[in-house]
């Protein structure tokens, strides 16, 4: 956390760059734009989430496969982010609420185990990140996810069912973003 008197223009610019990377992560995951993660993680970064982890590229490849096999849509909403600077390192804690629509034919087991019926999973978590400033860029050197809660319910589109598919978000280059 920033301490009294430490709100210098340089620290504020660094904090905004860090927040931009956190937001880009959510965008990349939800839009399935996996190549954007190169702008979020340092090349040697590690990523631990839901009991697994390792080098960020390996984990991103595995996550992309899980998303492809198990999830129809996702929506990650980031909230409070606390940032504490220590030279060229920043320690961040970001609250996140994530929505996942799980496919009826999702493989059994794992984080999004198939049930034969579509279901919605909403979960709360925190990203505990160590950012490092290298070559003039703040990126994640280490990310650890801490799951807080999960809620599962049968899938329901409610009034969204009446909105034409062309007006909905997409997980590819045809998305409005």
């Amino acid at each position: 956390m920033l301490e009294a008197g430490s709100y210098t223009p340089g620290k504020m610019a660094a904090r905004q760059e860090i927040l931009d990377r956190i937001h880009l992560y959510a965008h990349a995951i939800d839009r399935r734009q996996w190549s954007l993660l190169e702008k979020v993680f340092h090349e040697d970064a590690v990523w631990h989430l839901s009991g697994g982890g390792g080098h960020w590229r390996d984990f991103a490849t595995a996550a992309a496969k899980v998303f492809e096999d198990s999830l129809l849509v996702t929506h990650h909403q980031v909230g409070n982010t606390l940032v504490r600077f220590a030279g060229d390192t920043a320690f961040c804690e970001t609250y996140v609420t994530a929505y996942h629509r799980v496919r009826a034919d999702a493989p059994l087991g794992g984080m999004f185990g198939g049930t034969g019926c579509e279901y919605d999973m909403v979960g709360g978590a925190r990203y505990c990140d160590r950012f490092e400033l290298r070559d003039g860029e703040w990126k994640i050197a280490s990310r650890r996810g801490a799951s807080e809660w999960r809620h599962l319910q049968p899938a329901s589109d409610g009034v969204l069912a009446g909105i034409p598919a062309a007006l909905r978000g997409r997980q590819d280059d045809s998305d409005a973003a």
Side-chain angles (χ1 to χ4, degrees):
M1 283 97 11
L2 289 174
E3 315 226 337
S6 67
Y7 287 91
T8 65
K11 289 281 185 185
M12 293 305 293
R15 187 176 197 286
Q16 188 57 55
E17 184 177 346
I18 288 167
L19 291 174
D20 287 348
R21 301 274 191 227
I22 291 168
H23 295 153
L24 181 60
Y25 170 84
H27 172 82
I29 295 295
D30 290 338
R31 303 281 58 87
R32 313 291 202 268
Q33 300 293 315
W34 303 103
S35 63
L36 290 176
L37 294 177
E38 291 185 21
K39 297 179 181 195
V40 175
F41 292 94
H42 282 297
E43 181 51 42
D44 60 346
V46 294
W47 184 1
H48 298 275
L49 185 63
S50 300
H55 187 271
W56 80 267
R57 284 188 188 279
D58 296 337
F59 198 71
T61 299
K65 176 80 171 127
V66 168
F67 277 45
E68 169 91 17
D69 292 348
S70 302
L71 303 175
L72 294 169
V73 296
T74 60
H75 182 94
H76 291 73
Q77 189 72 40
V78 295
N80 333 347
T81 300
L82 300 174
V83 180
R84 181 175 51 88
F85 288 99
D88 288 346
T89 301
F91 299 94
C92 305
E93 177 188 48
T94 302
Y95 283 70
V96 61
T97 304
Y99 166 84
H100 304 80
R101 169 67 56 92
V102 181
R103 303 167 60 96
D105 62 349
L108 296 176
M111 183 178 204
F112 307 107
T115 63
C117 299
E118 284 184 12
Y119 67 92
D120 295 333
M121 186 194 90
V122 180
R126 290 174 296 122
Y127 298 141
C128 300
D129 297 327
R130 186 181 79 246
F131 277 78
E132 293 178 359
L133 178 64
R134 299 183 197 167
D135 299 322
E137 291 187 301
W138 286 97
K139 291 184 180 182
I140 295 172
S142 174
R143 167 165 280 184
R144 182 168 299 279
S147 295
E148 301 286 345
W149 54 270
R150 290 189 184 157
H151 176 75
L152 306 172
Q153 64 186 29
S156 173
D157 282 337
V159 298
L160 182 63
I163 296 175
L167 299 177
R168 297 184 192 187
R170 295 192 181 89
Q171 286 76 40
D172 58 29
D173 290 337
S174 68
D175 185 73

